[in-house]
Amino acid sequence: MPVKAGTTLDPQATRRRVLDSAVQLFYERGVHAVGVDEIAQHAGASKLTIYRNFGSKEGLVEAALRDRSERVHRWLATELEQIPAGRERVMALFDLLTRWYTEQGYLGCAIVNTAVETRHLNGVVRELPRAHLMRYRELLEGLLSEAGIAEPAALARHMLLLIEGATMITAIDGEAAAGHDARAAAEVLFDAARRNAQRDAQWDAETD
């Protein structure tokens, strides 16, 4: 789609269109199935513009993954700020993800999908999914620490397994039931951790 004669060019807006197109097309069809030509046409930009901004297709994939990850975590942080700290906020994370699972066109986690598709690659594209999951763990650790869990790191790892398992199952069967199941399991884990902490505190008080 060529730019009309006389149109004022906005390099940042063009870059944003290319990135949005790449994020959408990679998510819908996968990294290998979508070429630079198609992204350029979808975004109304030239291939030269794409290479000038991103260097290569791999550079565009990297930028698209970073953009997607940042938007997901920014959305979660903004929504969770509205929930009082504690057990309710931890469970709200699962509620948000389950709501996401019900959206039309949900195909799983774009970052994890790309990790599977590009598992033969090395470098930044391969490392970005690890960073994305680490941000989930850090988010969970923070929420659990706010909720008074004494050792949040281990529980955060367990809850991340629930999240990623539910994400994968939802992507395969197209239903959000796995999200509800993950929340129920997270409640059990959270309540057990809190009971253990209370028991340990009582034991310490009795033995002082």
Side-chain angles (χ1 to χ4, degrees), residues 188-208:
V188 172
L189 291 174
F190 182 94
D191 292 341
R194 188 159 59 181
R195 284 195 303 271
N196 290 339
Q198 292 170 345
R199 181 196 60 201
D200 291 344
Q202 183 178 358
W203 172 261
D204 291 340
E206 291 174 352
T207 54
D208 281 345

Side-chain angles (χ1 to χ4, degrees), residues 6-52:
T7 301
T8 301
L9 297 179
D10 183 341
Q12 289 302 314
T14 301
R15 187 181 191 279
R16 182 71 256 172
R17 287 201 315 275
V18 170
L19 205 49
D20 288 344
S21 293
V23 168
Q24 178 184 338
L25 294 174
F26 288 154
Y27 185 58
E28 291 175 350
R29 302 200 355 247
V31 168
H32 295 313
V34 177
V36 173
D37 283 332
E38 183 175 357
I39 294 168
Q41 183 177 8
H42 190 277
S46 68
K47 287 176 63 176
L48 179 61
T49 296
I50 292 177
Y51 287 122
R52 184 184 297 124

Side-chain angles (χ1 to χ4, degrees), residues 73 93 130-145 152-161 163-164:
H73 287 287
L93 173 60
R130 291 192 180 97
H132 180 71
L133 294 182
M134 180 57 70
R135 290 184 72 175
Y136 264 121
R137 280 180 55 182
E138 291 171 352
L139 173 60
L140 283 161
E141 285 188 36
L143 297 177
L144 292 167
S145 181
L155 185 53
R157 291 196 300 273
H158 298 160
M159 288 189 172
L160 180 57
L161 290 174
I163 288 171
E164 290 306 314

Side-chain angles (χ1 to χ4, degrees), residues 27 64-66 68-70 72 108-116 128-130 132-133:
Y27 185 58
L65 290 182
R66 288 188 187 279
R68 180 78 173 199
S69 180
E70 182 60 34
V72 167
C109 174
I111 294 88
V112 173
N113 291 350
T114 304
V116 174
L128 280 171
R130 291 192 180 97
H132 180 71
L133 294 182

